[in-house]
Amino acid sequence: IYLFKKVHSSIREDIKNAQEYLDGNQSGSNRTREVLRMLGAEDRVPKWWDIQPRPTALSASNWMQDFINRVEGINEIAKTPPKEIGRKKPIWLGGLYSPEAFVAASRQEIARSKNCAVDSLSLVVTIDDSGDSLGDDFIYHGFTLFGAECDQSKLSLSDLEFQKLKFAHFQWKSAKERKE
């Protein structure tokens, strides 16, 4: 959440300064002119706005929509009691800046609740069309599967370019639980 606040503050300040410059109310700094050049002429966002490196550059409009979606997701998480995050309402795992940290934390939480070693738990993923909890799971949405298809949590190779998956349920289970 801190990273989002920091980036959001930077974006607001840059946009405010650009507006003041365009209205003739202040002289433009190099940073303000750079923001205007990148957003206008190049249809890109300033690199200091993007915390997450991307393999390909997004246009300014696509980047802004992605940022809005991420902020909305973070706002939903911020309104959720900590013990319920990803439990009762699905979250967009890909919208987090450190999704691997969230998955690791979920494993640690389950190990703590089951009073067992983290290393004794393995991930079991169930894909389905329901965002309803399966019990002791974390629910995510927004996954896309490439070069394969998933039907009732069964994966198979496919000629499909991609398949959007509805919900992924991550469950951390011990060896004993997996045998049951």
Side-chain angles (χ1 to χ4, degrees), residues 7-18:
V7 170
H8 185 254
S9 176
S10 177
I11 292 170
R12 281 185 27 200
E13 187 68 21
D14 287 342
I15 297 295
K16 182 181 118 237
N17 289 339

Side-chain angles (χ1 to χ4, degrees), residues 146-157:
F146 291 89
E149 61 185 318
C150 182
D151 185 26
Q152 298 178 348
S153 283
K154 303 272 191 262
L155 290 175
S156 60
L157 292 177

Side-chain angles (χ1 to χ4, degrees), residues 43-174:
D43 192 27
R44 293 185 306 129
V45 297
K47 62 183 174 190
W48 58 87
W49 285 11
D50 205 356
I51 321 168
Q52 185 175 9
R54 298 175 189 279
T56 58
L58 293 175
S59 68
S61 58
N62 286 340
W63 183 92
M64 192 57 73
Q65 185 59 56
D66 180 71
F67 184 72
I68 289 167
N69 292 341
R70 289 174 189 275
V71 168
E72 287 173 351
I74 289 295
N75 284 338
E76 283 299 313
I77 289 171
K79 291 188 275 184
T80 306
K83 296 273 186 202
E84 294 179 15
I85 295 173
R87 297 300 194 100
K88 295 186 177 182
K89 187 174 181 184
I91 63 171
W92 176 34
L93 187 62
L96 302 175
Y97 278 111
S98 295
E100 67 281 0
F102 188 86
V103 173
S106 71
R107 186 179 191 190
Q108 292 167 352
E109 170 60 21
I110 296 300
R112 187 200 55 74
S113 71
K114 292 182 177 186
N115 198 26
C116 65
V118 171
D119 294 346
S120 70
L121 298 174
S122 295
L123 180 61
V124 175
V125 178
T126 304
I127 305 295
D128 69 17
D129 292 339
S130 170
D132 298 334
S133 178
L134 302 176
D136 204 10
D137 62 334
F138 291 84
I139 313 162
Y140 306 108
H141 67 87
F143 286 98
T144 303
L145 182 63
F146 291 89
E149 61 185 318
C150 182
D151 185 26
Q152 298 178 348
S153 283
K154 303 272 191 262
L155 290 175
S156 60
L157 292 177
S158 169
D159 290 333
L160 292 175
E161 184 176 337
F162 66 91
Q163 177 186 10
K164 294 215 178 263
L165 304 176
K166 296 276 185 176
F167 299 99
H169 301 262
F170 284 25
Q171 294 175 291
W172 293 103
K173 295 189 174 190
S174 65

